[in-house]
Amino acid sequence: MRFSHFLLLAGLSAAASPPALATAGPPPRATATVRKHLIYFTNKAGTPFSLSQPQAFLSARALARRTRQGIALKPRDLPVNPAYVAQVKAVAGVRVWYTSRWFNAAVVSCDSTTLASIRTLSCVQGAQTLNRGQNAPRHPDPETSTAPAQRPASAADYGTAFGQAQMIGAVSMHSAGFRGEGMQVAVFDAGFPGVNQMAVFAPLFQEQRIASTFNFVDKTADVYQRNDHGTLCLSTLAGNQPGTYLGTAPKATYRLFITEDINSEHPVEEANWLVAAEYADSAGVDVISSSLGYNTFDAPSTDYTYADMNGRTAIASRAAVTAARVGMLVVNSAGNEGNSGWHYITAPADADSVLTVGAVTAQREHASFSSYGPTADGRIKPNMVAQGQAAAIVYPSGAVGTGNGTSFACPIMAGMATGFWQSSPALKVQEVIRYLQSAGSQATSPDNTLGYGIPSFVTAYNLAHPNNPLASAGAAAAEPLGVYPNPSRGEELHLHLSSALRMAPALYVRIFDARGTLVRELQLNAAGTADVALPTGPLARGMYTCVVGSARTQQTVRFVRL
């Protein structure tokens, strides 16, 4: 995984508590090399499961999601035939880890001699090796995170997360009453250490909005361990500590899944992604946020080529397409390959029905590391972009800092998409994507750098509700004044004007330092635009209050110079 990247379950219960995982067969022989393999079955003939009784393998919430979107049940939804699984488990030396409804397959571990015996079974169609042994531990992409900020900053309830939320209209979305209530989001990542102890996530536990957890790498329910990449990504979504930090979907319900093992890089992690997606489906999840990507693997596993980035080859891409077809919105990071020889997006960001998210700076410009499109078959990617350079994140220590990567742009966008779908629950998955793209800053001229651009929640909502736009309800007018980048290290500042300030012929700006001393006073011409440059001149490090007024109104915003 480049942090920008597998499993299989049999018949999940309708309640969708931790998955009903297959039990182990006889222990594998210790004298031979044991690897994991994806075993494909020939068919689902003779299965005791029936499409007329889907409650045996899909939750009521999963069935309701299909019904809302007019999605018919298909044979792919049926669990693997238990008799076939039993035949595989009966082979000496095999352990069955998971099964996959969608691929009609099972993930097993065994040595090569045992695998040859499995291949002779009449119910087995073929096999694919998923890992090749142990390797030295991998570490997060150096662009994924940076050191925590030395001094915490606050901008109203959002803290340093204000700019990234404001950029895509999530602040207006929250003002309009859409913070993810009633929506379920599954987060696939490499670990969530500290989440169960951090103040920024306390409301998740106090309000019982952690619906389930599962570690598909170790086959346990414990996810509050391993790599902190998942913790950082989750903060941009679910963070909820007013005055310090707010994520883009702070009131959604979450399911946390570890699918990624940073100790090595093999297709087994894609299989974990697949099985996690099937679990999410059975549980009734609405949105999957996946800041993972696959293109190269540890030897001797075979790397993908750019030609494989066609949405139909990689295991994770095939799984993501199916996830979308059963009614889940898959939001995936584009990848951090923009400066590398690879250059392009990674899997499953290449899937045609996935909302692939690239990264921009606080100045709304392409982040150099963000992967480019198109897909190998010529489709535009990424679909959209959000802030991923100097994005505000929360570390397991509770410190608020900044990080770089499409890994952060993805969940920031996923939270807004969750709130948008909450506001328009009758939409189908592809309609959600279409409205968001139509609300992008490059909607009329998409490209393979920014896709359809930076979306606006208000624009998307008004396109979906032409007879009841937010402006008429006063929600857009409640949009607060913003400043970005915040905090800044000497970059040029910009004001994001509220609706009340945008049409004023002149704006009067006064900037005060932390002691209340007036340090700058200037006049700006808004010219009907949403964003204007704020020429502050040189400022010392510290916190400042910016008061912007017109003849009819006055608003205040704070910012930090580092």
Side-chain angles (χ1 to χ4, degrees):
M1 178 199 79
R2 289 271 187 263
F3 281 137
S4 113
H5 305 299
F6 130 4
L7 289 187
L8 315 176
L9 301 179
L12 293 173
S13 67
S17 39
L21 303 171
T23 57
R29 290 188 286 273
T31 56
T33 301
V34 174
R35 299 186 175 101
K36 285 184 177 178
H37 312 273
L38 190 58
I39 305 299
Y40 293 93
F41 296 110
T42 54
N43 53 51
K44 292 184 179 181
T47 176
F49 298 99
S50 169
L51 294 179
S52 64
Q53 294 183 310
Q55 64 275 10
F57 50 91
L58 293 173
S59 68
R61 186 181 174 92
L63 293 171
R65 189 190 64 231
R66 285 169 165 79
T67 299
R68 284 197 309 274
Q69 300 183 61
I71 300 172
L73 291 169
K74 295 184 177 182
R76 71 183 175 210
D77 297 306
L78 292 171
V80 171
N81 189 335
Y84 293 172
V85 179
Q87 290 181 49
V88 172
K89 289 171 66 175
V91 177
V94 67
R95 178 183 180 185
V96 176
W97 281 72
Y98 307 103
T99 62
S100 167
R101 294 181 286 116
W102 297 346
F103 282 23
N104 192 27
V107 173
V108 307
S109 57
C110 63
D111 60 27
S112 58
T113 301
T114 303
L115 179 63
S117 297
I118 293 173
R119 286 179 177 271
T120 66
L121 296 175
S122 60
C123 64
V124 172
Q125 183 180 62
Q128 176 180 355
T129 298
L130 297 170
N131 67 347
R132 300 283 182 171
Q134 298 301 312
N135 300 84
R138 286 199 173 197
H139 300 285
D141 190 311
E143 288 186 320
T144 296
S145 59
T146 60
Q150 293 301 304
R151 56 180 71 187
S154 174
D157 285 342
Y158 293 82
T160 55
F162 179 83
Q164 63 203 37
Q166 180 81 337
M167 181 183 292
I168 56 176
V171 175
S172 296
M173 180 178 78
H174 296 164
S175 297
F178 305 111
R179 299 189 174 211
E181 293 89 343
M183 301 291 287
Q184 285 201 10
V185 181
V187 182
F188 297 1
D189 220 293
F192 303 89
V195 166
N196 56 339
Q197 299 174 335
M198 297 165 64
V200 74
F201 295 122
L204 288 177
F205 297 90
Q206 295 165 355
E207 299 164 14
Q208 299 182 336
R209 289 188 288 107
I210 295 292
S212 64
T213 62
F214 201 78
N215 176 345
F216 288 94
V217 174
D218 300 321
K219 204 173 183 180
T220 72
D222 183 12
V223 299
Y224 305 118
Q225 57 163 307
R226 288 182 161 263
N227 188 268
D228 68 1
H229 186 262
T231 303
L232 308 182
C233 291
L234 183 64
S235 69
T236 70
L237 264 165
N240 191 356
Q241 191 177 6
T244 298
Y245 192 98
L246 275 184
T248 49
K251 287 292 186 177
T253 294
Y254 289 88
R255 296 182 184 270
L256 309 181
F257 300 146
I258 294 179
T259 65
E260 184 65 30
D261 183 357
I262 67 163
N263 293 318
S264 61
E265 184 76 343
H266 292 290
V268 67
E269 293 157 293
E270 290 190 85
N272 290 338
W273 201 106
L274 163 65
V275 181
E278 292 190 19
Y279 177 21
D281 169 36
S282 69
V285 161
D286 301 298
V287 178
I288 292 173
S289 179
S290 163
S291 292
L292 305 171
Y294 305 92
N295 59 336
T296 60
F297 299 104
D298 295 333
S301 290
T302 304
D303 293 344
Y304 289 126
T305 66
Y306 172 60
D308 294 322
M309 298 296 105
N310 55 20
R312 304 183 302 274
T313 300
I315 293 173
S317 300
R318 291 154 53 203
V321 168
T322 308
R325 288 177 178 170
V326 299
M328 291 185 288
L329 175 64
V330 180
V331 186
N332 206 94
S333 54
N336 297 331
E337 304 293 338
N339 288 327
S340 77
W342 178 271
H343 185 71
Y344 296 104
I345 56 169
T346 54
D350 62 325
D352 63 359
S353 48
V354 165
L355 181 58
T356 300
V357 185
V360 293
T361 68
Q363 291 75 35
R364 305 165 70 93
E365 298 173 347
H366 176 257
S368 62
F369 56 80
S370 185
S371 290
Y372 295 83
T375 61
D377 55 343
R379 288 174 286 109
I380 288 176
K381 288 287 180 175
N383 298 79
M384 315 218 72
V385 288
Q387 186 172 343
Q389 183 167 316
I393 53 178
V394 186
Y395 286 81
S397 65
V400 178
T402 59
N404 298 331
T406 59
S407 287
F408 305 130
C410 170
I412 290 169
M413 181 71 75
M416 192 273 270
T418 298
F420 173 66
W421 206 0
Q422 175 196 0
S423 75
S424 308
L427 296 181
K428 299 178 181 180
V429 165
Q430 294 309 309
E431 292 174 329
V432 171
I433 295 176
R434 188 174 74 246
Y435 277 116
L436 290 175
Q437 289 182 163
S438 297
S441 58
Q442 297 189 164
T444 59
S445 56
D447 58 31
N448 288 302
T449 301
L450 303 181
Y452 289 79
I454 302 169
S456 160
F457 167 79
V458 172
T459 301
Y461 181 92
N462 291 346
L463 288 171
H465 302 270
N467 297 322
N468 185 30
L470 281 179
S472 65
E479 183 180 21
L481 172 69
V483 61
Y484 63 91
N486 187 15
S488 72
R489 291 178 172 81
E491 305 98 327
E492 181 183 56
L493 289 175
H494 291 77
L495 288 171
H496 183 81
L497 303 176
S498 67
S499 300
L501 292 170
R502 290 176 191 175
M503 301 310 296
L507 297 176
Y508 303 92
V509 181
R510 292 178 296 165
I511 300 175
F512 300 88
D513 64 17
R515 295 173 296 180
T517 302
L518 178 66
V519 294
R520 294 288 184 277
E521 189 169 14
L522 54 146
Q523 182 175 326
L524 301 177
N525 181 9
T529 62
D531 297 83
V532 295
L534 178 62
T536 62
L539 292 175
R541 294 175 60 181
M543 180 176 290
Y544 294 87
T545 299
C546 179
V547 180
V548 182
S550 67
R552 296 186 176 183
T553 187
Q554 178 175 288
Q555 295 181 7
T556 300
V557 65
R558 287 180 288 173
F559 65 92
V560 172
R561 278 286 199 197
L562 297 179

